[in-house]
Amino acid sequence: VATMVHKDLTEGGHVNRVQEPDSLRGYALCLTARTLRGPIHLVNVYIPPRSNVQIKDPHAETARQQVLRETGVWLQQLRADGTPVILGGDLNAAWYRENRGAEARKTDEDYKEWATRLGLSPADSLYGGRSQQAATYESRATEGPHMGVRSRIDDWLVSTGGCTAPLSTAEVVGPTV
């Protein structure tokens, strides 16, 4: 996981790195940006896909489950003071059914439940939402039902609480989509 910040934002403490827990190194990175409205956490994540490998212990936690659980705990700590979050990255799951090229999966349902429990929803929901977005993944399967399937499994989520007023025209920079 990597996040780039323009050099002008690093001067004067406008953007600072928040150290992730050891268990999330390589999976999550958080920057806190200082704005006129207060701080906001910018979190970049990689959630591993569901494994098709047979696990010897059916009760054992998969890498995906572990990263989701530990990211959830960390996000709750980051948001304890009410600071809003923008979370983006490779989530290996689709929020909307129409963004999954194949049948909806339990992975998608679990992801949506996880995010909702944390008070996160797709950024496009702020603008009326539920738009079908371009695919961010294409299956490389050479046979079977997933051959050539395209899905949108990368997303931007925003915290649904903590925003007290809409942005003024002067606060919006660039086009809104």
Side-chain angles (χ1 to χ4, degrees), residues 99-120:
N99 287 327
R100 174 64 79 180
E103 74 283 347
R105 300 179 182 164
K106 181 166 179 2
T107 301
D108 299 335
E109 296 167 20
D110 292 346
Y111 152 63
K112 191 172 180 177
E113 181 181 304
W114 170 82
T116 302
R117 195 172 47 249
L118 291 169
L120 300 171

Side-chain angles (χ1 to χ4, degrees), residues 15-176:
V15 176
N16 294 303
R17 168 111 186 257
V18 176
Q19 184 61 57
E20 70 278 3
D22 290 347
S23 60
L24 291 176
R25 285 202 181 128
Y27 291 104
L29 187 144
C30 177
L31 302 175
T32 301
R34 309 261 176 247
T35 72
L36 294 176
R37 287 181 167 234
I40 186 166
H41 295 304
L42 309 169
V43 181
N44 187 348
V45 297
Y46 168 72
I47 306 296
R50 183 189 59 144
S51 176
N52 291 328
V53 176
Q54 284 287 2
I55 299 172
K56 293 178 184 174
D57 178 0
H59 302 290
E61 193 173 52
T62 65
R64 178 179 182 80
Q65 291 167 327
Q66 178 182 354
V67 172
L68 283 171
R69 179 180 48 76
E70 296 198 16
T71 301
V73 169
W74 189 42
L75 287 173
Q76 288 174 328
Q77 293 167 353
L78 290 172
R79 295 194 61 211
D81 63 356
T83 301
V85 169
I86 297 175
L87 180 142
D90 182 354
L91 300 155
N92 278 299
W95 188 278
Y96 299 120
R97 168 63 193 96
E98 56 268 24
N99 287 327
R100 174 64 79 180
E103 74 283 347
R105 300 179 182 164
K106 181 166 179 2
T107 301
D108 299 335
E109 296 167 20
D110 292 346
Y111 152 63
K112 191 172 180 177
E113 181 181 304
W114 170 82
T116 302
R117 195 172 47 249
L118 291 169
L120 300 171
S121 64
D124 54 4
S125 67
L126 296 175
Y127 304 101
R130 240 192 128 79
S131 59
Q132 185 163 355
Q133 303 293 324
T136 59
Y137 168 79
E138 183 173 351
S139 172
R140 300 287 183 220
T142 56
E143 59 183 42
H146 298 292
M147 185 171 67
V149 169
R150 298 170 54 86
S151 299
R152 176 185 177 207
I153 57 172
D154 304 284
D155 218 337
W156 288 99
L157 303 177
V158 294
S159 53
T160 53
C163 298
T164 56
L167 294 174
S168 68
T169 305
E171 291 175 297
V172 177
V173 178
T176 57

